[in-house]
């Protein structure tokens, strides 16, 4: 079903760019946000009359509100929000500074929250809308050396799961997308690392970091195929709350569920008996 108006953050590359291209090819209108003025015309030219670039930083609350308002005033509706802007961070929890944690949370969580809160009043008045939260399999299960990024995506998923329950009666849908490794610039220009490297974490956090940086450009996931799946989810009558993408993501989610189930089975006989005796 063509004719939707999309609002996608972070369309200079990666999933945001590919998804914008696929939605425009589908005949939809796509509002894409970028952080550099030099990227505006380039995005507008992707599909003239269908792609519209706006300058916006998700960490600037006033700018977010003004951009969403301008987009709605121009198009008259906002059907799909894709919170895509974000970046990765490598390093053990002890190696990362509090400043590192705050910077990642500011973009990956608070930035998403600000855009979501800015767009919700328009979707509520429409009585419709679909919010796509670009999380990660790292938002469902943690990995050594990825704790800062895990924290930001776990926060995003916790907020979004509650949001889905709150807005369902209002006609608004929420889907949390959890990609595994895909061939985007995530493991290249979109990732940062802790300045401190402690030898105590060479066998854990450092191994993970080297693996991530080592397979940049060789990941199994095809972003275009993922974008096409997301388009189908947006068109679905009953879309999923969570959408892992790729074989690695599905395996990781299943392994986490099995681990949780095992912990429940092993400790229920003690931990469940903590209520007051009736």
């Amino acid at each position: 079903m063509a004719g939707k108006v999309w609002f996608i953050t972070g369309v200079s590359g990666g999933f945001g760019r590919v998804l914008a291209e696929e939605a425009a090819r589908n005949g939809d209108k796509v509002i894409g946000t970028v952080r550099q003025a030099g990227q505006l015309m380039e995005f507008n030219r992707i599909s003239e009359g269908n792609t519209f670039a706006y300058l916006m930083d998700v960490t600037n609350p006033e700018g977010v509100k003004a951009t969403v308002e301008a987009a709605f005033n121009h198009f008259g509706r906002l059907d799909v929000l894709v919170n895509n802007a974000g970046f990765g961070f490598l390093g053990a929890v002890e190696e990362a500074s509090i400043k590192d944690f705050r910077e990642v949370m500011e973009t990956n969580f608070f930035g998403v929250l600000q855009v979501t809160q800015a767009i919700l009043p328009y979707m509520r008045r429409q009585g419709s809308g679909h919010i796509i939260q670009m999380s990660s399999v790292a938002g469902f299960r943690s990995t050594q050396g990825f704790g800062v990024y895990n924290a930001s995506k776990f926060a995003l998923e916790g907020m979004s799961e509650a949001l889905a329950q709150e807005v369902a009666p209002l006609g608004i849908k929420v889907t949390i997308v959890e990609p595994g490794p895909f061939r985007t610039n995530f493991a290249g220009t979109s990732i940062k690392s802790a300045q401190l490297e402690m030898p105590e974490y060479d066998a854990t956090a450092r191994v993970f970091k080297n693996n991530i940086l080592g397979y940049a450009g060789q990941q199994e996931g095809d972003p275009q195929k993922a974008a096409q799946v997301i388009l189908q989810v947006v068109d679905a009558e009953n879309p999923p709350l969570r959408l892992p993408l790729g074989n690695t993501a599905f395996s990781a989610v299943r392994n986490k569920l099995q681990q949780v189930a095992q912990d429940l089975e092993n400790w229920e006989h003690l931990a469940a008996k903590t209520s007051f005796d009736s």
Side-chain angles (χ1 to χ4, degrees):
M1 184 176 69
K4 296 183 181 66
V5 178
W6 295 63
F7 190 104
I8 306 177
T9 65
V11 295
S12 60
F15 271 117
R17 168 55 66 90
V18 177
L19 187 54
E21 292 171 348
E22 289 298 312
R25 190 175 293 117
N26 194 47
D28 294 343
K29 306 296 183 185
V30 183
I31 300 150
T33 73
V34 295
R35 295 183 62 187
Q36 299 178 23
Q39 299 168 331
L40 292 169
M41 291 304 297
E42 191 270 338
F43 184 79
N44 290 339
R45 293 193 190 102
I46 291 175
S47 178
E48 293 191 12
N50 290 321
T51 52
F52 305 85
Y54 283 71
L55 197 64
M56 189 186 83
D57 183 343
V58 298
T59 65
N60 182 330
E62 294 78 14
V64 167
K65 185 176 180 180
T67 302
V68 171
E69 182 179 11
F72 179 83
N73 289 339
H74 181 82
F75 293 94
R77 64 184 300 107
L78 295 169
D79 300 303
V80 185
L81 165 63
V82 182
N83 276 309
N84 172 72
F87 65 94
F89 190 94
L90 297 167
V93 170
E94 188 179 358
E95 294 173 331
S97 68
I98 296 300
K99 181 174 180 289
D100 291 330
F101 270 93
R102 291 186 187 279
E103 286 180 350
V104 176
M105 292 294 294
E106 194 64 41
T107 296
N108 292 3
F109 176 69
F110 288 107
V112 172
L113 177 61
Q114 286 168 167
V115 178
T116 301
Q117 288 183 332
I119 213 165
L120 275 171
Y122 302 100
M123 288 186 170
R124 283 194 291 103
R125 288 200 288 269
Q126 292 171 183
S128 65
H130 198 150
I131 298 172
I132 303 291
Q133 308 286 45
M134 295 301 296
S135 180
S136 164
V137 67
F140 191 82
R141 67 96 172 90
S142 292
T143 306
Q144 56 191 22
F146 223 22
V148 180
Y149 185 70
N150 291 139
S152 70
K153 292 301 186 179
F154 268 62
L156 168 61
E157 295 214 8
M159 178 271 288
S160 299
E161 189 171 324
L163 175 68
Q165 298 170 42
E166 294 164 355
V167 300
L170 308 177
I172 302 170
K173 301 170 183 177
V174 177
T175 296
I176 304 165
V177 180
E178 299 169 332
F182 275 76
R183 291 185 194 178
T184 67
N185 56 358
F186 177 82
T189 58
S190 293
I191 204 160
K192 297 182 180 181
S193 299
Q195 291 186 353
L196 176 64
E197 290 194 350
M198 301 169 60
E200 291 86 349
Y201 299 110
D202 286 347
T204 52
R206 210 75 59 245
V207 170
F208 179 77
K209 176 180 178 178
N210 292 337
N211 287 340
I212 286 283
L213 299 180
Y215 68 43
Q218 302 175 27
Q219 299 94 326
E220 67 180 15
D222 182 338
Q224 188 172 17
K225 290 180 179 179
Q228 291 167 357
V229 171
I230 293 172
L231 260 65
Q232 293 180 54
V233 166
V234 168
D235 280 342
E237 184 176 350
N238 296 302
L241 172 62
R242 282 185 168 84
L243 181 71
L245 290 176
N247 292 326
T248 296
F250 271 89
S251 295
V253 169
R254 288 194 175 103
N255 289 339
K256 169 73 175 282
L257 293 174
Q258 290 172 1
Q259 177 189 9
V260 172
Q262 190 64 57
D263 285 342
L264 292 176
E265 183 177 344
N266 291 344
W267 290 93
E268 184 177 11
H269 69 287
L270 285 176
K273 299 175 182 177
T274 52
S275 301
F276 285 104
D277 294 333
S278 57

